[in-house]
Amino acid sequence: AALGRTLSAEDAARLHAAFVEDVLRKGQRCGLNPRVLYVADSGDSEILSRLAAAYGYSTRVQRGAELGARMAAAFDEQLATPAEPDAPPGTGLRSDAAILVGTDSPTLPIAYLQQAAQALADGCDLVLGPACDGGYYLIGLRRPLPSLFPADMPWGTAEVLPRTLERLR
């Protein structure tokens, strides 16, 4: 689509799929395991399901009414899942750590994912990747912290990172 023109629904869906594919590829290349793509509902795009499978991801349906609840539920689920016993050493997160990455960060360097995984493996309880817009593109935890995802968080605003840091204090 040309600059200054509104994308059609079809073009927007293709752009979203391209962003998702980029993040899936990066997760695969840096060897994080297990890899899970959370989708809005089980009827979500067939394209996303194919992409997930192509890059070694399973898919799960997001649970929760708003973004914070969905993120907290994903952490609860992932942190309750034991690590794969036959995963080669150094190829994934510890069983007590998980990283969530937004699919709207097409320029995210793979090194940032690797650094986040290493920080968690080294004992950090939390990692955050601050975004230029005042939110964050990545969050990793070793244990569930539902207080970081309150219902009144103004998701999608410049207040997200400062309020998250305030809650951590």
Side-chain angles (χ1 to χ4, degrees), residues 71 75 98-100 126-129 136-141 148-149:
M71 291 170 65
F75 274 118
I99 296 174
L100 295 180
L126 174 137
V127 292
L128 282 171
Y136 49 84
Y137 57 84
L138 173 151
I139 182 169
L141 297 174
L148 295 181
F149 310 107

Side-chain angles (χ1 to χ4, degrees), residues 42-142:
S42 58
D44 240 1
S45 169
E46 183 180 318
I47 294 170
L48 294 182
S49 295
R50 281 197 315 263
L51 287 173
Y55 290 98
Y57 285 72
S58 60
T59 56
R60 303 263 196 305
V61 175
Q62 295 175 5
R63 293 181 294 119
E66 43 77 34
L67 180 59
R70 293 189 299 268
M71 291 170 65
F75 274 118
D76 287 347
E77 182 175 317
Q78 291 306 306
L79 294 173
T81 303
E84 295 180 25
D86 54 351
T91 62
L93 295 174
R94 296 165 37 148
S95 60
D96 63 346
I99 296 174
L100 295 180
V101 179
T103 57
D104 58 351
S105 301
T107 61
L108 177 65
I110 290 173
Y112 289 10
L113 293 172
Q114 293 167 327
Q115 290 168 5
Q118 188 61 55
L120 291 167
D122 288 346
C124 288
D125 290 327
L126 174 137
V127 292
L128 282 171
C132 296
D133 66 3
Y136 49 84
Y137 57 84
L138 173 151
I139 182 169
L141 297 174
R142 287 184 43 185

Side-chain angles (χ1 to χ4, degrees), residues 66-69 72 145-155 163-164 167:
E66 43 77 34
L67 180 59
L145 288 175
S147 64
L148 295 181
F149 310 107
D152 65 347
M153 180 69 82
W155 298 106
R163 287 194 187 187
T164 299
R167 287 179 162 279

